Amino acid sequence: MKEVKAQLRFLRIAPRKVRVVADTIKGKAVTVADTQLKFLEKTAALPVRKLLRSAIANAKHNFNLNADQLMVKNIRVDKGPTLKRFMPRARGMASPIHKHMSHIMLVLGEQKESKDKNK
């Protein structure tokens, strides 16, 4: 069983927001996952969908795998660096603003064919 990996680093969306999207496609077939990401109304759905399509293209081009037999084996969202900014507040004070980044690692694997598919 071959594994195809693709990664997206330094995505300017907080990891907790990306994990919500990533958990919806974990363990699903790539065609189902792509359709779900297409209609999901989250900002993180677009970059995750682009990453999924990149992994599918890697599987086709580099390993000659059929896209219909691929599934999302694992997707991991890690915390990236944080941009630290300050916002001016009342009486000359300042409040910190933390802009979080995400690193996403996507692993595709081949589905196991079941013999009694339609039964």
Side-chain angles (χ1 to χ4, degrees), residues 18-30 32-34 36-37 40 48 52 71-78 104-108:
V18 180
R19 283 187 190 112
V20 172
V21 174
D23 289 341
T24 61
I25 64 167
K26 190 181 289 188
K28 297 191 176 168
V30 292
V32 174
D34 188 46
Q36 280 190 340
L37 289 173
L40 193 63
V48 172
L52 177 66
M71 65 175 282
V72 180
K73 188 173 181 181
N74 191 15
I75 183 167
R76 190 178 77 219
V77 180
D78 296 327
I104 307 171
M105 174 65 85
L106 177 68
V107 180
L108 299 181

Side-chain angles (χ1 to χ4, degrees), residues 3 8 17 20 31 42 47 69 112:
E3 290 185 349
L8 171 61
K17 295 179 181 180
V20 172
T31 54
K42 295 275 187 187
Q69 297 176 350
K112 295 177 182 133

Side-chain angles (χ1 to χ4, degrees), residues 11 27 31 46 82-83 90:
L11 175 66
T31 54
L46 180 64
T82 301
L83 298 175

Side-chain angles (χ1 to χ4, degrees), residues 33-119:
D34 188 46
T35 305
Q36 280 190 340
L37 289 173
K38 183 177 180 181
F39 294 106
L40 193 63
E41 293 182 2
K42 295 275 187 187
T43 308
L46 180 64
V48 172
R49 184 173 183 223
K50 286 176 75 172
L51 180 65
L52 177 66
R53 298 180 123 207
S54 174
I56 293 169
N58 289 345
K60 286 180 183 177
H61 184 264
N62 298 339
F63 299 105
N64 294 325
L65 295 176
N66 188 2
D68 297 330
Q69 297 176 350
L70 293 175
M71 65 175 282
V72 180
K73 188 173 181 181
N74 191 15
I75 183 167
R76 190 178 77 219
V77 180
D78 296 327
K79 184 179 177 188
T82 301
L83 298 175
K84 295 176 182 169
R85 303 289 184 259
F86 291 96
M87 177 173 280
R89 305 304 284 209
R91 298 182 316 180
M93 289 194 265
S95 295
I97 304 292
H98 299 289
K99 299 185 175 193
H100 299 285
M101 291 188 201
S102 303
H103 297 320
I104 307 171
M105 174 65 85
L106 177 68
V107 180
L108 299 181
E110 292 180 303
Q111 286 184 7
K112 295 177 182 133
E113 291 291 327
S114 60
K115 292 182 181 176
D116 53 342
K117 215 186 226 184
N118 298 328
K119 293 181 183 178

